[in-house]
Amino acid sequence: MPSFDELRKLADSNPEQLEALRQQMIEETINNAPPAFQRRLRGLQFQVDMERRRARNPMDSCIRVSKMMHDHLYQMRQTINSAEVDTRSALAGFTSALPSNQAIMEATSVKATINPNSSTVIPFPQLANN
């Protein structure tokens, strides 16, 4: 990629060449992406190009594309937060339906006793060769 200064000179002297370079770099980036993402990237690039076309000037274009990015980021954050709340609600409902440790102990009335003088020997199975 050319340096910023080279791109600035190109914008001043030959905007058509700069646009061709931009298109070429976008195409290379999309083609280098995994095939599963390429269709979505082309759709996103189409949206960006349409916003740029609707803009009245370069600053308006920048603002429109920036707003698009912020809107998508906001939607993504809302989706993540909603999923987190749903997960917490589901877990809270699940854990509240479980009996408490005290209730389990009372229901089973288990009393374990350990006799240190007794042991059980478990014989090791005989191999077929012996």
Side-chain angles (χ1 to χ4, degrees):
M1 178 167 177
S3 70
F4 176 81
D5 291 333
E6 292 171 321
L7 291 173
R8 179 70 183 158
K9 287 178 189 174
L10 196 56
D12 291 338
S13 64
N14 194 344
E16 295 83 19
Q17 188 179 358
L18 177 63
E19 179 60 20
L21 177 63
R22 184 184 78 83
Q23 292 283 350
Q24 175 192 349
M25 293 181 78
I26 289 169
E27 195 61 31
E28 285 175 10
T29 300
I30 292 173
N31 287 336
N32 289 332
F37 295 112
Q38 289 182 7
R39 184 168 186 234
R40 176 68 181 121
L41 288 171
R42 290 195 192 286
L44 183 59
Q45 186 58 48
F46 176 80
Q47 289 177 331
V48 169
D49 289 341
M50 290 302 103
E51 286 300 323
R52 291 182 71 230
R53 222 179 252 175
R54 290 175 40 193
R56 293 175 293 228
N57 55 50
M59 182 56 79
D60 187 33
S61 173
C62 181
I63 291 169
R64 286 173 178 265
V65 172
S66 178
K67 183 180 180 323
M68 256 181 69
M69 291 180 354
H70 283 280
D71 289 347
H72 279 80
L73 181 61
Y74 177 77
Q75 288 173 351
M76 186 172 64
R77 191 174 73 203
Q78 291 296 99
T79 301
I80 290 170
N81 288 342
S82 175
E84 184 180 352
V85 167
D86 292 346
T87 302
R88 285 184 182 169
S89 296
L91 287 175
F94 177 74
T95 56
S96 66
L98 294 176
S100 68
N101 287 343
Q102 183 66 33
I104 292 171
M105 293 302 287
E106 289 172 2
T108 57
S109 298
V110 174
K111 294 182 182 175
T113 57
I114 300 173
N115 184 349
N117 296 326
S118 71
S119 63
T120 305
V121 176
I122 301 173
F124 199 82
Q126 293 291 325
L127 298 177
N129 297 10
N130 294 344

